Amino acid sequence: MEFFDGTKNWVASARSIADTHEAALVAAKRAYAAMPGLSLTEQSMYGAGLINDIIYSTRASYSTFNSTFDNSSIMDINNNSAGRRYSLRSYAKDDYMTAFNDAYWVDIEWYDTGVGSGDRERAWSNWQ
C-alpha cells in the first residue's frame, strides 16, 4: 500500500505517518494508565482520540514536548527526520550501499550514552 497526500509529496506523507506513530505510542500509554480495565480495543479507541491533541500540544510548547516524549521517542524523531532528508539527495537508484553507509556512519544517531539537551532541542526543531 502506498501513502501519499494526493500531490505525491512522499516526504510530507512519511512525516505525517512517523509523527502520528510517535504520538500514538504516548496515547497508548495514557489510555492504559487512565483506564486499565478497558479491553485493548477500547484502550486503542480512547488512545486514538488523544493523538491530535498530543501532536498539537507538543508542537505548541517546548516544555510539553519534553515532558511528553521519552528518550527513545527523541531518538526516533531525530532519526525519522534524518531518513526523510534522504529523499532530497541524489543517490543513484541502485546505489543503496552509499545511502546505507551515509545513514549508518553519518546521519543516524546512536544513543548509547543517553539523550542530552542538544538532542531534545534538535528533536523539538524537527517536530515543528
Side-chain angles (χ1 to χ4, degrees):
M1 176 179 270
E2 295 179 336
F3 294 92
F4 60 91
D5 66 3
T7 63
K8 294 193 177 185
N9 186 340
W10 301 105
V11 172
S13 296
R15 178 177 180 187
S16 178
I17 292 165
D19 288 358
T20 300
H21 169 76
E22 294 305 322
L25 293 174
V26 171
K29 290 177 188 175
R30 288 184 182 174
Y32 180 77
M35 298 180 219
L38 295 179
S39 71
L40 186 56
T41 300
E42 291 167 325
Q43 289 175 9
S44 296
M45 295 303 295
Y46 175 80
L50 300 175
I51 292 172
N52 281 337
D53 288 340
I54 291 167
I55 290 173
Y56 293 127
S57 66
T58 55
R59 286 194 175 136
S61 164
Y62 183 61
S63 63
T64 301
F65 174 84
N66 273 324
S67 65
T68 299
F69 292 114
D70 63 15
N71 288 350
S72 64
S73 290
I74 295 301
M75 178 187 69
D76 288 346
I77 290 166
N78 284 332
N79 286 338
N80 290 342
S81 178
R84 288 189 297 271
R85 287 191 299 269
Y86 276 78
S87 68
L88 305 174
R89 295 183 180 171
S90 299
Y91 292 108
K93 187 175 181 178
D94 60 350
D95 193 11
Y96 58 89
M97 284 309 297
T98 300
F100 174 82
N101 284 322
D102 285 352
Y104 191 84
W105 297 108
V106 179
D107 293 316
I108 299 300
E109 297 183 21
W110 305 97
Y111 290 91
D112 14 347
T113 58
V115 171
S117 61
D119 301 312
R120 285 190 165 274
E121 290 168 9
R122 190 171 43 263
W124 164 254
S125 177
N126 290 330
W127 189 248
Q128 298 304 299

